[in-house]
Amino acid sequence: MKELTELIERLSSEQPADWDSLPDIELYRDQVLGYMRRQHSLQPEEAQLTGAMINNYIKIGLLPRANGKRYTKDHLVYLTAICSLKQVLSVGETDQLLKLQPNISDARGFYEEYLRNMEEAFRETSGKLNENQTEEQLAAAALQLAISSYAEKLACQKILELLKEKEAPDKEKPCKRAGKK
């Protein structure tokens, strides 16, 4: 199946740009939106980032404010992570998860770790597929992937819940992302 071979290849190759490939110049919002479409080329159009989403992320403190109307490399890093995480977690859970990352204030360190995790997950997923599978085998693989996704989402949410309970006596920590106090 040509489409399956293409999917396997895309899962293996279409990862977000590495740190050194991110633009060094500040971008305007429309440029950021176009860039994020390329960063998440596997996502369906209806899941793509919008200007209203960026405003909302800034408003709730998930994303630092732009420098005037321009967004930096750090903004691209956080938006890349947010856009993928929001596919499985709520915005609040995504915010909590990012705040818990020990190197979140070091955008480059965070991003490099994020990319390593993503590459490993995509490699694992593409390894579960092969172009010689029958339709029945593909249906079974799709079910297994869906169940794994569900189990991993539940585990992630429970871990976040446990960490939130543990943190509760300390009150809420301030946002550690660059640009936030």
Side-chain angles (χ1 to χ4, degrees), residues 35-181:
Y35 194 81
M36 285 298 111
R37 277 191 291 281
R38 290 188 298 280
Q39 285 284 78
H40 299 283
S41 61
L42 291 170
Q43 286 184 357
E45 186 66 33
E46 63 272 7
Q48 294 291 330
L49 184 68
T50 66
M53 290 175 181
I54 291 175
N55 287 341
N56 187 42
Y57 300 154
I58 291 170
K59 184 177 174 183
I60 64 172
L62 180 57
L63 184 69
R65 291 204 172 281
N67 296 333
K69 292 186 176 189
R70 296 181 313 245
Y71 296 84
T72 65
K73 190 181 246 191
D74 286 4
H75 288 99
L76 296 177
V77 163
Y78 300 127
L79 283 170
T80 298
I82 291 165
C83 286
S84 59
L85 295 172
K86 75 179 179 90
Q87 299 305 307
V88 291
L89 298 173
S90 70
V91 172
E93 290 166 334
T94 298
D95 184 42
Q96 181 187 359
L97 178 62
L98 291 177
K99 284 178 181 174
L100 290 168
Q101 299 311 299
N103 62 348
I104 195 65
S105 61
D106 169 23
R108 182 180 189 146
F110 165 76
Y111 191 61
E112 288 173 349
E113 182 179 339
Y114 166 83
L115 289 178
R116 276 191 301 276
N117 286 324
M118 179 168 278
E119 183 180 335
E120 181 181 326
F122 275 47
R123 186 176 47 248
E124 236 177 73
T125 300
S126 65
K128 294 177 182 178
L129 304 173
N130 110 39
E131 53 273 340
N132 297 320
Q133 290 174 303
T134 65
E135 285 187 22
E136 191 174 281
Q137 290 169 323
L138 284 174
L143 178 61
Q144 174 57 41
L145 289 168
I147 292 169
S148 293
S149 296
Y150 176 64
E152 290 173 357
K153 177 182 177 177
L154 289 176
C156 178
Q157 289 172 322
K158 187 62 178 173
I159 289 168
L160 290 174
E161 191 179 299
L162 292 170
L163 290 170
K164 191 174 189 174
E165 288 172 7
K166 185 176 181 180
E167 190 178 276
D170 301 335
K171 302 278 185 202
E172 188 173 320
K173 290 182 183 178
C175 181
K176 294 194 240 175
R177 280 184 286 294
K180 300 303 286 180
K181 294 183 175 148

Side-chain angles (χ1 to χ4, degrees), residues 1-17:
M1 223 188 267
K2 181 182 173 190
E3 294 88 0
L4 183 59
T5 302
E6 183 181 306
L7 172 62
I8 293 168
E9 288 173 8
R10 289 182 75 189
L11 284 171
S12 301
S13 64
E14 291 190 31
Q15 304 294 317

